[in-house]
Amino acid sequence: MQVQQIYSLVNTITGEILGSDTVVNEDLSNIVDIGTAVFGANQIDNYVKSLVNHIGRVIFVNRAYSGGAPSVLMDNWEFGSVLEKISAELPAATENDSWNLVHGQDYSPNVFHKPNVTAKFFNSKVTFEIDMSFTERQVKESFNSPAQLNGFISMIHGAIDKSLTVKIDSLIMRTINNMIAETFHAEYGTNSHSASSKMKAVNLLYEYKQLTGENTLTPTLALTDKEFIRYCVKRLNLYSDRLKKISTLFNIGEQARFTPADMLHVVLLSDFKAAANVYLTADTQNEKFVMLPAAETVPYWQGSGTDYSFNSISSINVKTASGNTVTAGGIVGIMFDRDSLGVSNLDRRVTTSYNPKAEFYNHFFKFDAGYFNDFNENFVVFFLA
């Protein structure tokens, strides 16, 4: 073991702490051990200089990761592959002849009135797998006990679980991002979305500026403006009520739909939710009147970028399932019907094979699922631009 003398450094540190010396550059390279990838042959004792240092404690980096994607996972089924959604249009009203009787008129009840029913089919899956080989005999020499060996194997399984969680979460977010992009394209086409606001793609900053005449706020600064955030809370709460009423205004397919409270899903950008809590709710006496709708949060829609700036975390840049390329930023939240998107027919499994010649196991961690967007169900996106 390497042992360093640091009496000079600790004397300097003491002077800095007590205020008798100015703050100076400190060389911490002799204090902090950042580890090495290989245990060197020169790791010997400081007594007889020939005894090899032994490992006193083994820590396996095996922390469970639960992920953070919105909860849009649905059920699975054993047989068949197609998800079918059947809907019926609202029938039109006709004249009530009971109050318009004419002598000699025939009022036949035998006319057939066919309901207008449509079906939509979702029949696609995506799949991936993670392959990992496990040995037992070959790694026993590296550990002191069965407990350490089991800890090592458990760590590998933990890493695989974390990898699966990261990948599944990312696919869930891509399902959401596709619906966001499709909504932007349906409302704006290839036009800029910064100079107007639509029913299904609500530009909160544009609306606020039109209402108040304020013209200095940027999307980033707007999240620190109490009055603007108050306006945003009002708009989101209004939409959560409006979606309960049947309408054709809030879905791309313009179908008559409504979303009851127990089927409304709200997802907000963490920065937006935190801004509302800090700048608005925290110092408001009747905070229940300025509360955002109950929501899940995400730290970003597509990625954090290299800086976690608002421009990075609030943006998407995708080619949609319909073939449209959409770039949009300032996205702070979405509201949608539970049936508008989701992950269905999940199948997560592990298969195993043993190689008797080389004495190792191959485990194949497989995942299949269908990711869908239904344009006939309510979906609204809120953004700042």
Side-chain angles (χ1 to χ4, degrees):
M1 174 184 289
Q2 182 181 11
V3 178
Q4 297 285 348
Q5 299 286 348
I6 60 167
Y7 64 91
S8 177
L9 178 59
V10 295
N11 287 338
T12 301
I13 292 173
T14 302
E16 290 177 308
I17 293 173
L18 296 179
S20 58
D21 290 332
T22 59
V23 176
V24 298
N25 177 262
E26 297 175 350
D27 182 3
L28 303 183
S29 61
N30 291 331
I31 298 178
V32 181
D33 190 343
I34 60 174
T36 56
V38 179
F39 188 72
N42 62 340
Q43 307 295 324
I44 57 176
D45 76 294
N46 291 287
Y47 178 42
V48 297
K49 309 295 185 182
S50 60
L51 300 177
V52 176
N53 295 154
H54 278 233
I55 297 173
R57 183 184 180 190
V58 177
I59 298 176
F60 294 105
V61 181
N62 189 20
R63 185 176 300 171
Y65 179 63
S66 58
S71 52
V72 296
L73 297 176
M74 297 185 177
D75 57 354
N76 63 330
W77 53 88
E78 185 68 23
F79 299 98
S81 64
V82 180
L83 170 63
E84 179 182 12
K85 294 185 70 175
I86 302 174
S87 60
E89 292 186 8
L90 301 180
T94 60
E95 185 178 8
N96 182 354
D97 290 329
S98 298
W99 305 101
N100 192 27
L101 299 179
V102 178
H103 176 71
Q105 179 71 43
D106 180 17
Y107 298 95
S108 173
N110 299 317
V111 177
F112 175 69
H113 304 277
K114 183 181 75 70
N116 194 350
V117 176
T118 58
K120 182 177 284 191
F121 301 92
F122 303 87
N123 189 25
S124 65
K125 270 190 175 184
V126 295
T127 183
F128 66 89
E129 69 177 58
I130 296 175
D131 302 338
M132 187 62 65
S133 298
F134 293 87
T135 65
E136 178 182 349
R137 194 174 302 276
Q138 293 91 328
V139 297
K140 281 184 176 179
E141 61 189 22
S142 299
F143 300 105
N144 295 328
S145 66
Q148 283 191 353
L149 177 60
N150 289 337
F152 175 72
I153 300 298
S154 177
M155 179 196 67
I156 296 175
H157 277 279
I160 294 168
D161 285 340
K162 283 193 282 285
S163 180
L164 284 168
T165 300
V166 169
K167 291 168 175 59
I168 294 168
D169 276 7
S170 66
L171 289 172
I172 291 173
M173 288 307 303
R174 269 62 191 169
T175 305
I176 293 173
N177 291 346
N178 188 80
M179 193 67 166
I180 292 174
E182 297 281 18
T183 302
F184 268 109
H185 189 268
E187 292 287 62
Y188 293 100
T190 58
N191 298 323
S192 169
H193 55 267
S194 62
S196 62
S197 182
K198 305 290 186 178
M199 288 299 298
K200 296 182 287 292
V202 184
N203 187 342
L204 295 168
L205 186 55
Y206 172 82
E207 290 183 348
Y208 181 73
K209 289 184 175 182
Q210 293 296 111
L211 179 68
T212 64
E214 204 287 335
N215 59 6
T216 61
L217 281 182
T218 64
T220 302
L221 289 177
L223 293 185
T224 65
D225 188 281
K226 183 175 181 177
E227 294 305 317
F228 172 72
I229 297 173
R230 193 189 303 273
Y231 174 79
C232 293
V233 171
K234 184 194 81 168
R235 292 292 282 152
L236 265 68
N237 283 319
L238 282 174
Y239 261 84
S240 66
D241 276 345
R242 291 172 180 175
L243 290 174
K244 296 176 186 176
K245 295 296 184 181
I246 194 165
S247 173
T248 62
L249 295 175
F250 304 117
N251 60 80
I252 296 173
E254 298 182 345
Q255 299 297 305
R257 294 290 188 269
F258 70 98
T259 302
D262 62 334
M263 297 187 71
L264 179 65
H265 210 135
V266 183
V267 181
L268 300 176
L269 189 68
S270 298
D271 281 41
F272 178 69
K273 179 69 176 295
N277 289 340
V278 172
Y279 295 107
L280 183 59
T281 310
D283 63 350
T284 303
Q285 184 175 2
N286 297 311
E287 63 178 48
K288 65 180 180 180
F289 296 120
V290 291
M291 294 289 291
L292 286 165
E296 294 183 89
T297 58
V298 292
Y300 47 76
W301 302 106
Q302 187 167 330
S304 63
T306 58
D307 53 4
Y308 254 103
S309 68
F310 181 73
N311 288 338
S312 296
I313 63 177
S314 66
S315 299
I316 62 168
N317 186 353
V318 300
K319 181 178 180 181
T320 70
S322 300
N324 304 305
T325 298
V326 176
T327 301
I331 302 163
V332 294
I334 53 176
M335 280 187 187
F336 58 95
D337 192 286
R338 187 187 66 185
D339 289 340
S340 68
L341 59 87
V343 183
S344 65
N345 201 14
L346 290 82
D347 187 3
R348 182 171 172 173
R349 61 200 182 277
V350 183
T351 57
T352 305
S353 69
Y354 178 65
N355 186 314
K357 179 176 177 58
E359 296 184 285
F360 67 88
Y361 293 88
N362 271 336
H363 290 195
F364 307 97
F365 299 81
K366 300 175 181 289
F367 181 84
D368 308 332
Y371 298 82
F372 72 90
N373 289 171
D374 187 352
F375 296 163
N376 291 338
E377 301 291 348
N378 289 338
F379 186 96
V380 181
V381 56
F382 301 89
F383 67 101
L384 317 180

